[in-house]
C-alpha cells in the first residue's frame, strides 16, 4: 500500500474507525458491510430516524417517572462503521447503533443524553446505575445475562480476518490458531472465547496461541497489518468493512453467532418498552431502512426479545 493511501486508511480507522466492539454478524452470501452506500472512504448519510413516529402503545410501557422526565442517559462505545463511530469532524456520532438507539428513543417519545464510554466500562457502569442503557454491539451471553438485561435488535457473531499471505483459509476450530498470535478488542466476547479455550492447544499437544488485546479499535488492525498479530477475531460486520478499507487483508469466516441488544441494569423496568419500540420499528419499515443504510441486512432478526439464551 502506498504510504499516502495507508495514512488515509488508518485515519479512517482512527476517526471513523472500524467496528470492533462486541460481536459480529453477517450473511456469508451478502455484500460486505459498507459496500455500496458506504464504499471505500464514503459514509452513508441517509436520514432514517427523523420520520419515526411516537409509538403510543410502546411508550405506555415506560415507568411513569421516565415518561415524565422524557430523557434517558445512554453510554455508547465507539469503534467504526457500521457500528458506532465519529465522523471526520471528530464530534458527530454515526453508525447503526446510533440509529437504532435514536429511533427507539424517538418511538418512545424520549430524548437520549449520550455519553461516549469505553466498551469494557459500560456494562459495569450500568450495574452501578451511572447510565440507563448502553450500546456497543453488545453480544448476549449467558455470563452477561447474570448481571445485565438485554433487548435484542440484531443478530451478530464472531469472525476472523488475516493478511493475504496467511495460510489460514477458514477457522472452524480454535486449535487451528495454535502457535499464532491473535489480536482482538479488550473486554469483548472475543477475548473471553479465546482465553477460555486456550487450553485446547495444550490438550492437543500443540503450542498455545497468544492473545493480544487492544482498547483502541484501530490498533487491532494495525497489529495485523504490521505483523504483530497473525489473525484478528472480531465482529463479522466490522471485519467485512475493515478489509474493504485496508489493502492486503481478507475476511475469513463467521465463527459463532450471537444476538446483540441494548444493555440495561438487571431487572430494569425499561426492557418491555424498548422491546415494543424495536418491534414497532420492524413493523413500520424503519428497522429495514437502518440495516440497508449500513449494509447489514444479514443481521436482521424477526422479533426483539428480552435477554434470550446465548446462541449455542
Amino acid at each position: 500500500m502506498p504510504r499516502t493511501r495507508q495514512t488515509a486508511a488508518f485515519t479512517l480507522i482512527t476517526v471513523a474507525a472500524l467496528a470492533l466492539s462486541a460481536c459480529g454478524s453477517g450473511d456469508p452470501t451478502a455484500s460486505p458491510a459498507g459496500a455500496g452506500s458506504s464504499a471505500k472512504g464514503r459514509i452513508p448519510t441517509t436520514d432514517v430516524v427523523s420520520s419515526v413516529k411516537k409509538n403510543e402503545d410502546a411508550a405506555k410501557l415506560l415507568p411513569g417517572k421516565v415518561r415524565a422526565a422524557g430523557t434517558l442517559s445512554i453510554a455508547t462505545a465507539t469503534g467504526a462503521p457500521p457500528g458506532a463511530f465519529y465522523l471526520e469532524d471528530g464530534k458527530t456520532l454515526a453508525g447503526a447503533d446510533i440509529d437504532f438507539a435514536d429511533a427507539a428513543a424517538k418511538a418512545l417519545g424520549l430524548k437520549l443524553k449520550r455519553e461516549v464510554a469505553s466498551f469494557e466500562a459500560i456494562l459495569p457502569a450500568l450495574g452501578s446505575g451511572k447510565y440507563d442503557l448502553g450500546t456497543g454491539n453488545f453480544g448476549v451471553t449467558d455470563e452477561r445475562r447474570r448481571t445485565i438485561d438485554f433487548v435484542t435488535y440484531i443478530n451478530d457473531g464472531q469472525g476472523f480476518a488475516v493478511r493475504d499471505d496467511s495460510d489460514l483459509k477458514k477457522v472452524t476450530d480454535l486449535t487451528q490458531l495454535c502457535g499464532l498470535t491473535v489480536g482482538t478488542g479488550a473486554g469483548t466476547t472475543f477475548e473471553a472465547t479465546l482465553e477460555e479455550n486456550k487450553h485446547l492447544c495444550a490438550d492437543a499437544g500443540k503450542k498455545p496461541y497468544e492473545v493480544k488485546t487492544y482498547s483502541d479499535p484501530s490498533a487491532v488492525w494495525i497489529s495485523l497489518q504490521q505483523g504483530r498479530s497473525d489473525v484478528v477475531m472480531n465482529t463479522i460486520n466490522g471485519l467485512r468493512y475493515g478489509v474493504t478499507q485496508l489493502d492486503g487483508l481478507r475476511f475469513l469466516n463467521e465463527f459463532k453467532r450471537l444476538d446483540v441488544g441494548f444493555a440495561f441494569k438487571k431487572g430494569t423496568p425499561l426492557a418491555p418498552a424498548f422491546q415494543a419500540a424495536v418491534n414497532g420499528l420492524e413493523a413500520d419499515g424503519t428497522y429495514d431502512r437502518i440495516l440497508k443504510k449500513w449494509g447489514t441486512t444479514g443481521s436482521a432478526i424477526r422479533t426483539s426479545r428480552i435477554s434470550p439464551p446465548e446462541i449455542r
Side-chain angles (χ1 to χ4, degrees), residues 66-307:
V66 174
R67 290 199 306 272
T71 61
L72 288 176
S73 61
I74 181 171
T76 296
T78 60
F85 61 99
Y86 283 107
L87 295 180
E88 290 185 1
D89 62 9
K91 299 177 182 178
T92 306
L93 287 171
D97 282 350
I98 305 301
D99 284 344
F100 276 121
D102 288 349
K106 199 166 189 292
L108 292 171
L110 301 173
K111 291 186 177 180
L112 297 177
K113 294 182 178 178
R114 181 175 277 112
E115 181 176 319
V116 173
S118 65
F119 174 82
E120 59 267 32
I122 292 179
L123 298 186
L126 291 172
S128 70
K130 183 176 180 179
Y131 305 109
D132 295 310
L133 71 153
T135 58
N137 206 19
F138 288 111
V140 182
T141 67
D142 290 337
E143 177 66 26
R144 287 175 174 170
R145 288 194 308 139
R146 294 190 179 100
T147 56
I148 296 293
D149 280 341
F150 294 93
V151 173
T152 61
Y153 57 91
I154 59 173
N155 177 260
D156 227 321
Q158 304 173 337
F160 296 94
V162 294
R163 293 185 302 279
D164 283 342
D165 61 5
S166 173
D167 292 332
L168 284 174
K169 303 301 180 184
K170 188 175 183 180
V171 176
T172 57
D173 188 302
L174 293 182
T175 57
Q176 293 172 261
L177 303 177
C178 297
L180 301 179
T181 299
V182 187
T184 195
T188 61
T189 61
F190 317 113
E191 179 185 7
T193 296
L194 291 167
E195 292 293 350
E196 290 170 4
N197 290 282
K198 189 180 288 187
H199 67 90
L200 295 176
C201 292
D203 294 348
K206 299 180 179 181
K207 181 181 178 180
Y209 52 75
E210 179 184 1
V211 181
K212 286 191 174 181
T213 60
Y214 301 88
S215 295
D216 178 3
S218 64
V220 180
W221 289 98
I222 294 171
S223 76
L224 181 60
Q225 276 219 321
Q226 295 184 349
R228 295 194 301 276
S229 295
D230 300 304
V231 56
V232 296
M233 184 181 190
N234 236 295
T235 69
I236 300 297
N237 284 345
L239 293 173
R240 286 182 183 275
Y241 184 88
V243 298
T244 71
Q245 296 298 312
L246 294 171
D247 285 342
L249 306 181
R250 57 185 167 87
F251 172 75
L252 281 185
N253 63 287
E254 178 180 337
F255 183 71
K256 177 183 178 180
R257 281 186 172 268
L258 289 172
D259 288 316
V260 171
F262 298 115
F264 302 85
K265 181 178 181 178
K266 190 70 176 177
T268 179
L270 298 172
F274 271 81
Q275 180 190 32
V278 173
N279 287 333
L281 296 174
E282 291 188 352
D284 70 18
T286 300
Y287 182 84
D288 287 340
R289 286 191 288 273
I290 294 174
L291 291 179
K292 184 177 180 180
K293 173 182 177 179
W294 296 106
T296 56
T297 54
S299 294
I301 59 173
R302 292 185 177 181
T303 187
S304 175
R305 295 190 293 169
I306 298 174
S307 298

